[in-house]
Amino acid sequence: MPKTDIARRVYNHAWKLDPICRSLLDTDFYKLLMLQMIWGLYPNVDATFSLINRNKSVLLADEIDEGELREQLDHARAIRFSKKEMIWLAGNTFYGRKQIFQPEFLNWLADFRLPEYELTKRGGQYELHFHGKWMETAMWEIPALAIINELRSRAAMRSLGPFALDVLYARAKAKVWAKVERLKMLPELKISDFGTRRRHSFLWQRWCVEALKEGIGDSFTGTSNVLLAMDTDLEALGTNAHELPMVLAALAKTDEELLQAPYRVLEDWQSYYGGNLLIVLPDAFGTETFLRNAPPWVADWTGFRPDSAPPIEGGERIMEFWRKHGKDPRDKLLIFSDGLDVETIENTYRHFEGKVRMAFGWGTNLTNDFENCAPTEVDGLKAISVVCKVSSANGRPAVKLSDNPEKATGDPAEIERYIKLFGAQNRVRRKVSV
Amino acid sequence: MPKTDIARRVYNHAWKLDPICRSLLDTDFYKLLMLQMIWGLYPNVDATFSLINRNKSVLLADEIDEGELREQLDHARAIRFSKKEMIWLAGNTFYGRKQIFQPEFLNWLADFRLPEYELTKRGGQYELHFHGKWMETAMWEIPALAIINELRSRAAMRSLGPFALDVLYARAKAKVWAKVERLKMLPELKISDFGTRRRHSFLWQRWCVEALKEGIGDSFTGTSNVLLAMDTDLEALGTNAHELPMVLAALAKTDEELLQAPYRVLEDWQSYYGGNLLIVLPDAFGTETFLRNAPPWVADWTGFRPDSAPPIEGGERIMEFWRKHGKDPRDKLLIFSDGLDVETIENTYRHFEGKVRMAFGWGTNLTNDFENCAPTEVDGLKAISVVCKVSSANGRPAVKLSDNPEKATGDPAEIERYIKLFGAQNRVRRKVSV
């Protein structure tokens, strides 16, 4: 048997493109849940999504070749859901519910393709916008981010020889496994992979998911990545995101409508979903105001996902809200998903143990932690805080305030207007590293 | 292009044997240097080599299947030097010397094959003996040990699934690389791989050698493994071993001859080799006595390899010897090779820096350190102290005293006789872990 498979070697070296996004299911599950609702309730709303690199000192346009970026974005646009994928979406049980996707929605989805993109360079950064119908542009968020992040890792790794790459991945694996071993010590832990958007690469995310599956067993509840969920028989997890209140707020015609937008979103949501999918994301315009103005039925929802407040303070505040409404937090669920690493997970877990049900959605520090892994430090392998956010809806600017002013997005004047209206109580500035 | 190469998969799963020893060059270089001398001076001496497992609590015969062991030993016996290997031995420069091997010796070597073995089980251990001409049995030492050690690793790894194996090797690589990074801090370090006999596996030794080559560059002076030296264009390193004084001592007819045996070996050696190959191995019957009785010309030799005394005390004692004979230790070489790990290397290096030339021959802790690497601890991956020593010559028992009574080998009564004759000054009992 020859040592080298000549055909494979030639094929490997003659690759035109190594696609980063190979399936429309290679996205976060919440995008599909939201999409069905947007398709049903807001089919005519336009929404623009825009790339935002919060690490200004990292010049993405210098690190990533524009030609390569276009090729990857073009390739993603050429993908359709495959027959097998459509059958799986229709036949699989999500969150304990059969046929969560309506046949009419799936019919529409079968022909879905990602819409056009607008790419320019300015000041060493890419300006990347997706204009069009909300129910089309929304689907760009995850592939756009995954493409940007993986192209950046690939560029960074070009300086490494085969041995250095071997050491890099060996160390990264050893590092993930050391984290897994720490998590194993938390007996009631429920944790899932939320790391698609910022992953080092698709293959690396898959390895991390396999490591959690192998290492912590039942404590690993699933992955937000729909493709990985399908391929590895895991639960696909996730509920809703800031784009819902952001768009509804942008569309509001009066201040009253704007103040009501966060609750309107919840009404919309529960017209589609129930049970464990009833998770409130309270921080789009500040959790404090959200809780103060919330109608009592918000306390009936299954849980909250505090996404920008410090986890312990943020969680305590929500438990206070539940108690005020006569709910026992032990029947309720808190989902933590903001900038988690093992230490935050351990501290949060120990703080809330026995007081409330908890789940963790672990992102960037799971799927893109390569610090001190290369034999000689490679800057481009350090994860950055890059997001793809809705920037306008029907031509009106969209804004997120967040509990952490560092995570606010939108036009500064518009942010001021929102702050005047919603207030800025209990917002805490925390460094956003990932 | 199909994802699975069916032919290769079938081949991989239908393997009759995955040979551990695939070349007669997969041995330590000093065996070839010694062999030429034995072939030239002692062609008619019989010598028996025997396996000795110093870790009595590890029951090798329970861990390693006898059928597999026989298959591997039989396979090793079927190997001959290939044409390419013979040409390389003849054409390569070793220790700066061309044609270090005489054409007549190479002619004889071209037909060499390993002699028969005698294998039985007793009390959970293997009794493995190689009887016959010294110039044939001597060549079993390294392949026999490499086979025993790799069969033991393979057996231990049978309990591990594909993911556990991935984690195992990732962590082992990360561990070796962490050691490499510490060694990088020692600017004048000269270190080589002496880890063939106790290696985890051949492929792992090759990885370790590549790691040192990549990581510390010129500080990595070569490998004792002749095959790896040839394949990776490294220097093949090593000089002589205890078997020489042990056999000559065993053959001694009088006490006077026995006392002179260690110096007789050196005379034999310098009739064949010079320069950097003039390295004294002083501890076969105790370094103290060796130095006290040594003729002055021993101080003219290039260096010493203290192999069982604690490195700092042992090295100091030898420097004292050189000074007494009017030699400046800075012109002399100490080669440390006993049970080294990074910490011993660092301490020894720092102690002797600027006082003497130093080189390190790094063995088991380089090529077989898998502690805490498996996801769940696997006992069989812990390296053991197993050796293959000459046990008799022309029917007379062979003995090693060593500076560490734990490393003594031979019949207890005979050891007593040697101790009476050579004395037991400065012998220090130290735990032998590898």
Side-chain angles (χ1 to χ4, degrees):
Chain A
M1 183 148 313
K3 284 193 180 174
T4 306
D5 177 339
I6 306 175
R8 180 164 300 278
R9 191 185 164 101
V10 170
Y11 171 75
N12 282 342
H13 286 260
W15 256 349
K16 271 207 201 62
L17 184 72
D18 181 5
I20 290 169
C21 185
R22 294 172 182 228
S23 158
L24 288 175
L25 284 189
D26 185 11
T27 192
D28 278 346
F29 182 59
Y30 75 177
K31 297 293 330 191
L32 296 180
L33 292 179
M34 290 190 288
L35 194 64
Q36 172 165 257
M37 188 190 106
I38 297 164
W39 165 86
L41 302 179
Y42 304 99
N44 297 315
V45 170
D46 284 330
T48 295
F49 278 74
S50 303
L51 188 80
I52 302 165
N53 174 16
R54 295 179 186 142
N55 291 69
K56 300 281 171 236
S57 62
V58 172
L59 302 176
L60 284 178
D62 289 353
E63 295 190 12
I64 298 169
D65 178 74
E66 186 179 337
E68 287 184 41
L69 176 53
R70 287 184 184 277
E71 275 173 351
Q72 292 290 347
L73 295 168
D74 292 341
H75 184 272
R77 289 199 64 216
I79 307 170
R80 300 290 180 279
F81 286 99
S82 73
K83 241 172 109 169
K84 175 180 85 172
E85 291 169 346
M86 292 307 301
I87 293 166
W88 183 80
L89 282 177
N92 189 45
T93 301
F94 296 95
Y95 279 84
R97 189 174 142 193
K98 286 184 182 176
Q99 295 182 314
I100 204 167
F101 298 111
Q102 304 167 8
E104 301 76 23
F105 171 67
L106 291 176
N107 277 344
W108 173 80
L109 203 63
D111 293 322
F112 183 86
R113 58 176 292 186
L114 290 167
E116 291 185 3
Y117 59 88
E118 183 195 301
L119 177 68
T120 53
K121 280 187 187 183
R122 193 158 72 177
Q125 299 292 350
Y126 283 115
E127 306 232 324
L128 179 57
H129 301 286
F130 306 100
H131 305 289
K133 292 283 169 241
W134 188 12
M135 64 183 185
E136 293 181 347
T137 56
M139 285 291 277
W140 260 119
E141 179 187 4
I142 308 301
L145 290 172
I147 285 169
I148 289 280
N149 284 308
E150 185 162 348
L151 280 180
R152 188 165 170 263
S153 328
R154 289 185 186 180
M157 291 188 294
R158 272 191 200 126
S159 62
L160 303 179
F163 193 87
L165 288 170
D166 194 15
V167 169
L168 175 80
Y169 283 107
R171 283 178 151 184
K173 286 176 180 178
K175 207 170 178 185
V176 168
W177 194 257
K179 294 182 186 186
V180 165
E181 293 199 324
R182 280 174 66 178
L183 295 182
K184 226 187 277 189
M185 304 289 108
L186 309 177
E188 304 294 327
L189 183 70
K190 295 290 167 200
I191 194 165
S192 57
D193 156 44
F194 274 23
T196 301
R197 67 192 63 199
R198 305 267 181 74
R199 68 192 180 198
H200 166 83
S201 73
F202 172 73
L203 293 176
W204 180 245
Q205 184 185 15
R206 193 166 73 186
W207 194 91
C208 295
V209 164
E210 284 168 358
L212 285 169
K213 203 177 171 187
E214 179 98 4
I216 61 171
D218 288 345
S219 284
F220 183 48
T221 51
T223 169
S224 63
N225 188 295
V226 195
L227 181 63
L228 289 176
M230 179 177 79
D231 284 350
T232 56
D233 270 334
L234 285 167
E235 292 291 321
L237 297 177
T239 54
N240 52 64
H242 294 114
E243 66 182 276
L244 301 181
M246 287 171 75
V247 169
L248 266 63
L251 298 180
K253 297 208 176 61
T254 64
D255 283 354
E256 186 44 32
E257 252 184 76
L258 177 50
L259 277 170
Q260 286 308 312
Y263 314 108
R264 169 83 185 285
V265 164
L266 303 187
E267 289 171 321
D268 287 348
W269 190 256
Q270 64 190 353
S271 72
Y272 272 78
Y273 308 110
N276 281 333
L277 286 169
L278 294 184
I279 300 297
V280 183
L281 182 65
D283 67 325
F285 313 116
T287 300
E288 196 54 42
T289 321
F290 178 90
L291 293 176
R292 205 178 45 242
N293 299 340
W297 57 261
V298 172
D300 297 331
W301 276 39
T302 305
F304 272 71
R305 178 160 75 91
D307 197 45
S308 53
I312 290 174
E313 293 90 314
E316 284 290 349
R317 181 65 189 84
I318 290 159
M319 283 166 58
E320 194 188 306
F321 169 81
W322 280 323
R323 287 194 210 97
K324 203 184 94 190
H325 287 82
K327 307 289 176 188
D328 184 342
R330 285 171 299 181
D331 303 328
K332 295 290 183 180
L333 181 62
L334 285 178
I335 299 176
F336 298 98
S337 60
D338 180 33
L340 298 178
D341 205 348
V342 178
E343 211 153 290
T344 347
I345 295 169
E346 287 170 340
N347 295 341
T348 309
Y349 176 92
R350 297 217 167 92
H351 179 85
F352 289 110
E353 202 177 359
K355 298 180 190 162
V356 62
R357 287 163 53 215
M358 281 176 273
F360 295 88
W362 196 11
T364 318
N365 286 320
L366 169 63
T367 61
N368 201 353
D369 179 7
F370 280 72
E371 221 183 324
N372 296 322
C373 289
T376 48
E377 203 53 25
V378 177
D379 281 344
L381 286 176
K382 200 170 160 1
I384 55 170
S385 183
V386 57
V387 293
C388 183
K389 285 283 175 193
V390 61
S391 53
S392 70
N394 284 350
R396 302 160 67 96
V399 160
K400 184 174 94 160
L401 292 183
S402 163
D403 289 328
N404 176 0
E406 295 279 325
K407 292 183 96 174
T409 65
D411 173 73
E414 199 66 6
I415 289 179
E416 276 313 303
R417 183 170 85 91
Y418 275 58
I419 287 180
K420 269 194 200 123
L421 205 61
F422 286 98
Q425 293 98 322
N426 285 8
R427 290 175 87 220
V428 181
R429 192 169 291 272
R430 289 193 303 154
K431 191 169 172 295
V432 177
S433 54
V434 289
Chain B
M1 184 146 315
K3 284 193 179 171
T4 306
D5 178 340
I6 308 175
R8 179 166 299 278
R9 191 185 163 99
V10 170
Y11 171 76
N12 282 341
H13 285 260
W15 255 351
K16 271 208 203 62
L17 185 73
D18 182 5
I20 290 169
C21 183
R22 294 170 182 229
S23 157
L24 289 175
L25 284 188
D26 184 9
T27 193
D28 279 346
F29 183 59
Y30 73 177
K31 298 295 324 194
L32 296 179
L33 291 178
M34 289 191 289
L35 194 64
Q36 172 165 255
M37 188 189 106
I38 297 164
W39 165 87
L41 303 178
Y42 303 99
N44 296 314
V45 169
D46 284 329
T48 295
F49 278 74
S50 304
L51 188 79
I52 302 166
N53 173 17
R54 292 178 186 144
N55 291 69
K56 300 282 170 229
S57 64
V58 172
L59 301 176
L60 285 178
D62 290 352
E63 295 190 11
I64 299 168
D65 178 75
E66 186 179 336
E68 286 185 41
L69 176 52
R70 287 184 185 276
E71 276 174 352
Q72 291 292 346
L73 295 169
D74 291 342
H75 184 272
R77 290 199 63 216
I79 307 170
R80 301 287 181 280
F81 287 98
S82 73
K83 243 172 110 170
K84 174 181 86 174
E85 290 170 345
M86 291 307 302
I87 292 165
W88 183 80
L89 283 177
N92 189 46
T93 302
F94 297 96
Y95 279 85
R97 187 173 143 195
K98 286 186 181 174
Q99 295 182 313
I100 203 168
F101 297 111
Q102 303 167 9
E104 300 75 22
F105 171 67
L106 291 176
N107 277 344
W108 173 79
L109 203 63
D111 293 322
F112 183 86
R113 60 176 287 186
L114 289 167
E116 291 185 1
Y117 60 89
E118 182 195 302
L119 177 68
T120 52
K121 280 186 187 184
R122 195 160 69 176
Q125 299 292 348
Y126 284 115
E127 305 234 323
L128 179 56
H129 302 285
F130 306 100
H131 305 288
K133 291 283 166 239
W134 187 12
M135 64 184 185
E136 294 183 342
T137 57
M139 285 290 277
W140 259 120
E141 180 187 4
I142 309 301
L145 290 171
I147 286 170
I148 289 281
N149 284 307
E150 184 162 350
L151 280 181
R152 190 168 167 259
S153 327
R154 289 185 186 180
M157 290 189 294
R158 271 188 202 129
S159 62
L160 304 178
F163 193 87
L165 287 170
D166 194 15
V167 169
L168 175 81
Y169 283 106
R171 285 178 151 184
K173 285 176 181 178
K175 206 169 180 187
V176 168
W177 193 258
K179 294 182 186 187
V180 164
E181 291 198 326
R182 280 174 67 178
L183 295 182
K184 228 188 272 189
M185 303 290 108
L186 309 177
E188 306 292 329
L189 182 69
K190 296 292 168 199
I191 193 166
S192 57
D193 155 45
F194 274 23
T196 301
R197 66 192 64 198
R198 304 268 181 75
R199 69 193 181 198
H200 166 83
S201 73
F202 173 73
L203 293 175
W204 180 246
Q205 183 186 15
R206 193 165 74 188
W207 195 91
C208 296
V209 163
E210 282 167 1
L212 285 168
K213 202 176 169 185
E214 180 98 4
I216 59 171
D218 288 345
S219 283
F220 183 47
T221 50
T223 169
S224 64
N225 187 296
V226 195
L227 182 64
L228 289 175
M230 179 177 81
D231 283 350
T232 56
D233 270 333
L234 284 167
E235 292 292 323
L237 297 177
T239 55
N240 52 64
H242 293 114
E243 65 183 276
L244 302 182
M246 287 171 76
V247 169
L248 267 60
L251 298 179
K253 296 205 178 60
T254 64
D255 285 354
E256 185 45 32
E257 253 185 75
L258 176 52
L259 278 169
Q260 286 308 311
Y263 313 108
R264 168 82 187 282
V265 165
L266 303 186
E267 288 172 321
D268 286 349
W269 190 256
Q270 65 189 352
S271 73
Y272 272 78
Y273 308 110
N276 281 333
L277 286 169
L278 295 183
I279 301 297
V280 183
L281 182 65
D283 67 325
F285 312 116
T287 300
E288 195 56 41
T289 320
F290 178 90
L291 295 174
R292 202 177 49 242
N293 299 339
W297 55 262
V298 172
D300 296 331
W301 275 39
T302 305
F304 272 69
R305 179 161 76 90
D307 197 43
S308 53
I312 292 175
E313 293 89 314
E316 284 291 348
R317 181 64 192 82
I318 291 161
M319 284 166 61
E320 193 189 307
F321 168 82
W322 279 324
R323 287 193 210 96
K324 203 185 95 189
H325 287 84
K327 307 289 175 188
D328 185 342
R330 286 172 300 182
D331 302 329
K332 295 292 184 179
L333 180 63
L334 285 179
I335 299 176
F336 298 98
S337 60
D338 181 32
L340 297 178
D341 205 348
V342 178
E343 210 154 289
T344 346
I345 295 169
E346 287 170 342
N347 295 341
T348 309
Y349 176 93
R350 296 216 168 93
H351 178 86
F352 289 109
E353 204 177 357
K355 297 180 190 162
V356 61
R357 287 162 55 215
M358 279 176 277
F360 294 88
W362 196 11
T364 317
N365 287 318
L366 168 64
T367 60
N368 201 354
D369 180 7
F370 280 73
E371 221 183 321
N372 297 322
C373 289
T376 47
E377 202 55 21
V378 178
D379 280 343
L381 286 175
K382 200 169 161 357
I384 54 171
S385 183
V386 57
V387 294
C388 184
K389 285 284 177 191
V390 62
S391 52
S392 70
N394 284 351
R396 300 159 65 97
V399 161
K400 185 174 93 160
L401 292 183
S402 163
D403 289 329
N404 177 359
E406 295 279 325
K407 293 182 94 174
T409 64
D411 172 73
E414 199 68 6
I415 290 180
E416 275 314 301
R417 183 171 83 91
Y418 275 58
I419 287 181
K420 270 195 196 121
L421 202 64
F422 285 99
Q425 293 98 324
N426 286 6
R427 290 175 87 218
V428 181
R429 192 170 291 272
R430 288 195 301 155
K431 192 171 171 293
V432 177
S433 54
V434 290

